[in-house]
Structures are given as structure tokens and as C-alpha cells.
Amino acid sequence: MHIHTRSTVVATAALLAGLSLTACQNDDPSRTPRPAGSGKASAAAPETPASTPAPGTAGGTASGSTTGDRGQGTGGTAGRSTGGGSGDTTGGGGGDSSPTTCTGDTTKVVVSKVSRPINHLLLTVTNTGSRDCAAYHAPLLRFDDEQSATRVIDDSKPQAVVTLAPGQAAYASITLSAADGSGSNGRTAKRLTVHFAPRDGSGSTGAPAELTLPAGTHKDDNAAVTYWQSDMADALTY
């Protein structure tokens, strides 16, 4: 009986000692658990709100600025001029696309002998300018110091005015004398002046071409010239 009572007392004493230790721990403030969400994160400063663009701006870029990589200014016009100068313009005043009149200033004129038909020369006019030119009517010819122009062969008039792009040529043939030798006032000519007719056919316009005739060129009063033709063969049919 002694032994059992003593064991009971010892067990009771140990239980009381354990309860006393637990109570002491709960009374220690340093061991009190922290509430949820406490710690350093709870002390961080609130986020700064995003700055609002100033009035008249888009995404921080000033209104009306020019973007150098696209070449655009205000109004969205790219690579174009609105007031004269080179390049495309939006202000009107474009150049005149109509052809100029062929003259000695914008052409090169050559006179040459031909084997057929006999007693003929060939005039070749080439546009040396930068614009189209129109070879109106027939060349106006004067041999040496003659006062009157050489007769024009009316039947040679083409259906349309011959217009030459830069580098293109037109042709006219010159009949020097009657084939049977019946012409009067035959003589040897040395020089030929070629004048150019204006659109209305009245008189001449621009600078003439001054040519030296092939050696031994013989002409008489039957000399005549065709209208300007776009094809050499057409010119030499008269």
C-alpha cells in the first residue's frame, strides 16, 4: 500500500509541474503569436498612381511634333510640297504637257543626198530638246539669197501633225529640178536656210537652221518641198 500511494503522489506532482510551466509560457509577451498579415510587408508605402499626361499630349509626345523617321509633318502630308519647288505639289500650277513648236533652237536639221528619186535631197529634223515638239506644216526653205520661199507640195500634207518626242525625227524631201530638164533658171546652190512654221501656219517662228548643201547641188525654178512626215519612205514618195 505504501508503494502505490507514493507513486500516485509523484505522478500528481509531475502533472502540476507541467501545468505550471505552460502557464508561465503563456504569460511571456515575447512569445505571443503575431496576427495574420503582420510583418514588414504591412509597413510598405502605398503605390504612387501613374502620372496623367498633360493636356494636348498623346502618350507623352507633344502634339504637332514631326516624326523624323517618316518625314511627316502636321496634317499627315508625307514627302510632298504644298507651295512650289520640286517634287509633287498640292497647290496646282502643274507644267503644260502640250508640245512646243519645233524650231532651230530645239532640233538638229541635216540635209543629205539620196539616190532615189533622182534630183532629190532629204531633210531630217531631230528633236534635241527635253519636251515633245510639233513639226507643223512644211519646212520653209530658202536657197542662198533667194527672196521667196520654195514651193510646198500640197498633196504631201499628212493626216495629222507630226509630233516628235525627244530623240525622234521627222523627214521632208526636196525636189531640186524637173526630171526632164525643162525647168528654168537652173543653177548650183550652196546654202539652205530652213525656217519653221508656227501652228497657225502664218510666217515662221523661232530660230532657223542654216545648212551647207552637198557639193554640186543643182536646182531650178521647179524646186519644191514636202510637208514634214513621220516616215522617211513617205517623204521620198514625192
Side-chain angles (χ1 to χ4, degrees), residues 92-142:
D96 184 4
S97 60
S98 60
T100 62
T101 301
C102 296
T103 68
D105 293 323
T106 58
T107 62
K108 179 181 179 180
V109 184
V110 176
V111 60
S112 55
K113 280 186 175 182
V114 292
S115 57
R116 292 182 182 276
I118 60 172
N119 301 328
H120 278 63
L121 296 175
L122 178 69
L123 281 178
T124 302
V125 58
T126 303
N127 182 358
T128 58
S130 59
R131 291 179 55 185
D132 292 2
C133 74
Y136 292 113
H137 305 284
L140 307 175
L141 306 184
R142 281 184 170 83

Side-chain angles (χ1 to χ4, degrees), residues 79-228:
R80 303 182 71 185
S81 168
T82 58
S86 58
D88 294 333
T89 62
T90 58
D96 184 4
S97 60
S98 60
T100 62
T101 301
C102 296
T103 68
D105 293 323
T106 58
T107 62
K108 179 181 179 180
V109 184
V110 176
V111 60
S112 55
K113 280 186 175 182
V114 292
S115 57
R116 292 182 182 276
I118 60 172
N119 301 328
H120 278 63
L121 296 175
L122 178 69
L123 281 178
T124 302
V125 58
T126 303
N127 182 358
T128 58
S130 59
R131 291 179 55 185
D132 292 2
C133 74
Y136 292 113
H137 305 284
L140 307 175
L141 306 184
R142 281 184 170 83
F143 288 88
D144 295 328
D145 297 325
E146 291 180 354
Q147 297 301 311
S148 59
T150 302
R151 180 177 63 88
V152 175
I153 302 173
D154 291 333
D155 291 345
S156 66
K157 185 176 181 179
Q159 293 182 350
V161 173
V162 177
T163 300
L164 305 179
Q168 287 187 329
Y171 309 91
S173 67
I174 302 170
T175 302
L176 294 171
S177 59
D180 59 5
S182 61
S184 59
N185 297 320
R187 62 182 183 85
T188 299
K190 296 181 179 180
R191 299 187 314 276
L192 181 67
T193 303
V194 181
H195 293 270
F196 294 85
R199 183 173 183 175
D200 63 7
S202 176
S204 62
T205 185
E210 301 286 349
L211 306 177
T212 299
L213 290 168
T217 298
H218 182 83
K219 69 168 295 283
D220 61 27
D221 289 344
N222 285 335
V225 64
T226 67
Y227 279 74
W228 290 114

